Amino acid sequence: MDARAAAATITRHATEALADTDLDVVVDGVTVQEAGRRRLVRVLLARDLSGLSPDDVTSTVQPLSLDEVSEATRSVSAAVDTCSVMGERPYTLEVGSTGLDRPLTEFAHFRRNVGRLLKVSRSDGSTLEGRLLEAGPDHLTIAGHDPLPLADVAKATVQVEFSSPERKDA
């Protein structure tokens, strides 16, 4: 089985294994790579947004905890072993969240990052930086800026912050 077909099979089985959790397998978030005699299987997860009201565009979404990723790793590992997609060949499984370096490209990505500091490159070449206050299906509201149509976003990334904006230093 080639890597693309293996990834599709793993995606299906991992999604089924995580059905009773509030975690989703990220679209195109499963990869299978050759690594010498082994294969490296990466499965990226994100918080499920289906429990949010469609009208809710401002509440924050909690990031994945280490305990959730650990439990998901056990479930995904069992699912991959059971479906035997990897055959007899040894593999290494990595399960985790998408990480800060992954560009935000669709509504769900922005919705999961309400409250975070973003750097946004617009289609016209301009950039803006600020805290994402609201992520609607067709627009973003970034602190200090007019609402931005999602269609005008060329690229967006979460910026690393070493202290929470809620913390007040005495």
Side-chain angles (χ1 to χ4, degrees), residues 54-100:
D55 297 335
D56 179 2
V57 294
T58 60
S59 65
T60 59
V61 175
Q62 292 299 313
L64 304 185
S65 72
L66 291 175
D67 288 340
E68 288 174 309
V69 173
S70 178
E71 183 62 34
T73 299
R74 287 189 285 278
S75 297
V76 170
S77 178
V80 172
D81 288 344
T82 301
C83 76
S84 68
V85 66
M86 302 310 290
E88 296 296 318
R89 230 167 131 194
Y91 68 92
T92 301
L93 176 65
E94 292 180 3
V95 177
S97 63
T98 55
L100 293 176

Side-chain angles (χ1 to χ4, degrees), residues 133-148:
L133 302 176
E134 182 177 301
D138 58 356
H139 74 281
L140 305 175
T141 302
I142 296 174
H145 301 279
D146 292 332
L148 176 65

Side-chain angles (χ1 to χ4, degrees), residues 96-168:
S97 63
T98 55
L100 293 176
D101 58 340
R102 188 170 175 142
L104 308 179
T105 59
E106 57 188 55
F107 163 69
H109 299 165
F110 289 101
R111 186 61 193 87
R112 288 185 184 101
N113 285 287
V114 167
R116 311 274 311 259
L117 187 63
L118 300 185
K119 182 174 184 180
V120 178
S121 298
R122 299 177 64 173
S123 301
D124 66 6
S126 64
T127 61
L128 54 100
E129 191 169 323
R131 193 153 313 277
L132 180 60
L133 302 176
E134 182 177 301
D138 58 356
H139 74 281
L140 305 175
T141 302
I142 296 174
H145 301 279
D146 292 332
L148 176 65
L150 202 52
D152 288 352
V153 175
K155 179 182 176 185
T157 53
V158 175
Q159 301 300 289
V160 176
E161 293 183 276
F162 292 104
S163 65
S164 170
E166 293 85 31
R167 283 182 51 191
K168 306 249 190 239

Side-chain angles (χ1 to χ4, degrees), residues 6-21:
T9 300
I10 292 167
T11 299
R12 188 175 72 252
H13 287 279
T15 299
E16 290 170 5
L18 298 172
D20 293 333
T21 69

